[in-house]
């Protein structure tokens, strides 16, 4: 029997000054998903983040927005996963991805962290890279010295629209992901 996703984590940074920045696309998707599923986030100190529980036909799915800042995201993920005995393969992490063109989506299990501090910390805290990733493309500024300023700034109006479109498409593909239909989900999410 294939494992199903029981925890969806959206990566971002807490605080108003980061709300509209590229690094917060994971939060943007989770906010849309919570609205769609009609659930509300609650601040949960023991899980170092904002948490919501959605009841789906396939069982409960936890939504988590770590409030630890990006480089300590794993603290929140590990706390909730350990408490509810959720395996790494039952976790989907939604995050911004510099190495993918703006508006494109990639879905995969495991792999490296590409220098993404949120993924790096989650891998370290879970002790494995084997969790699912939904990577939302934000483009690369062209020079690695510009990356920090780039991810911590607002996208242009055009890029924001492309990101919003990729979030809408991700939500369309999510039922296949939640049902463990990995090939179908990948085909749909990777298509233009």
């Amino acid at each position: 029997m294939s494992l199903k996703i029981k925890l969806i984590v959206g990566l971002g940074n807490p605080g108003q000054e980061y709300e509209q920045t590229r690094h917060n696309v994971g939060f943007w998707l989770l906010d849309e998903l919570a609205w769609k599923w009609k659930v509300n986030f609650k601040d949960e100190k023991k899980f170092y983040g904002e948490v919501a529980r959605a009841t789906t036909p396939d069982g409960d799915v936890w939504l988590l927005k770590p409030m630890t800042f990006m480089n300590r995201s794993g603290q929140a993920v590990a706390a909730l996963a350990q408490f509810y005995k959720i395996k790494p393969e039952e976790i989907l992490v939604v995050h911004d991805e510099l190495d993918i063109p703006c508006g494109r989506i990639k879905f995969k299990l495991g792999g490296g962290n590409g220098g993404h501090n949120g993924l790096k910390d989650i891998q370290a805290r879970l002790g494995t890279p084997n969790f699912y990733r939904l990577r939302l493309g934000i483009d690369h500024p062209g020079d690695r010295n510009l990356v920090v300023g780039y991810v911590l700034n607002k996208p242009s109006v055009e890029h924001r629209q492309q990101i919003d479109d990729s979030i809408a498409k991700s939500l369309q593909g999510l039922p296949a992901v939640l049902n463990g239909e990995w090939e179908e989900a990948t085909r749909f999410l990777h298509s233009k």
Side-chain angles (χ1 to χ4, degrees), residues 112-180:
N113 57 48
H116 193 293
N117 289 330
L119 292 178
K120 221 181 270 186
D121 195 55
I122 293 169
Q123 287 176 351
R125 303 271 184 154
L126 293 180
T128 179
N130 291 331
F131 50 88
Y132 284 91
R133 297 102 186 274
L134 186 62
R135 304 155 67 207
L136 302 177
I138 60 168
D139 264 347
H140 196 287
D143 178 342
R144 66 186 186 97
N145 296 317
L146 302 176
V147 165
V148 173
Y150 182 76
V151 299
L152 295 178
N153 274 292
K154 287 171 71 163
S156 66
V157 173
E158 181 189 353
H159 275 187
R160 178 62 197 242
Q161 186 59 57
Q162 291 173 324
I163 293 166
D164 287 346
D165 291 347
S166 72
I167 288 172
K169 183 173 183 170
S170 297
L171 295 178
Q172 279 183 283
L174 204 55
V177 172
L178 294 176
N179 290 327

Side-chain angles (χ1 to χ4, degrees), residues 52-155:
R53 184 171 80 184
T55 302
T56 74
D58 296 310
D60 286 348
V61 177
W62 292 95
L63 305 181
L64 171 65
K65 295 194 299 186
M67 291 291 136
T68 52
F69 286 97
M70 190 62 79
N71 59 356
R72 291 181 52 225
S73 299
Q75 184 177 15
V77 176
L80 194 142
Q82 286 165 3
F83 189 85
Y84 290 109
K85 297 179 175 36
I86 298 171
K87 298 178 178 83
E89 303 83 28
E90 298 170 322
I91 299 172
L92 173 65
V93 177
V94 183
H95 64 91
D96 59 303
E97 179 59 67
L98 286 162
D99 297 329
I100 298 174
C102 199
R104 298 298 305 274
I105 306 163
K106 293 288 180 194
F107 171 69
K108 71 174 190 170
L109 171 65
N113 57 48
H116 193 293
N117 289 330
L119 292 178
K120 221 181 270 186
D121 195 55
I122 293 169
Q123 287 176 351
R125 303 271 184 154
L126 293 180
T128 179
N130 291 331
F131 50 88
Y132 284 91
R133 297 102 186 274
L134 186 62
R135 304 155 67 207
L136 302 177
I138 60 168
D139 264 347
H140 196 287
D143 178 342
R144 66 186 186 97
N145 296 317
L146 302 176
V147 165
V148 173
Y150 182 76
V151 299
L152 295 178
N153 274 292
K154 287 171 71 163

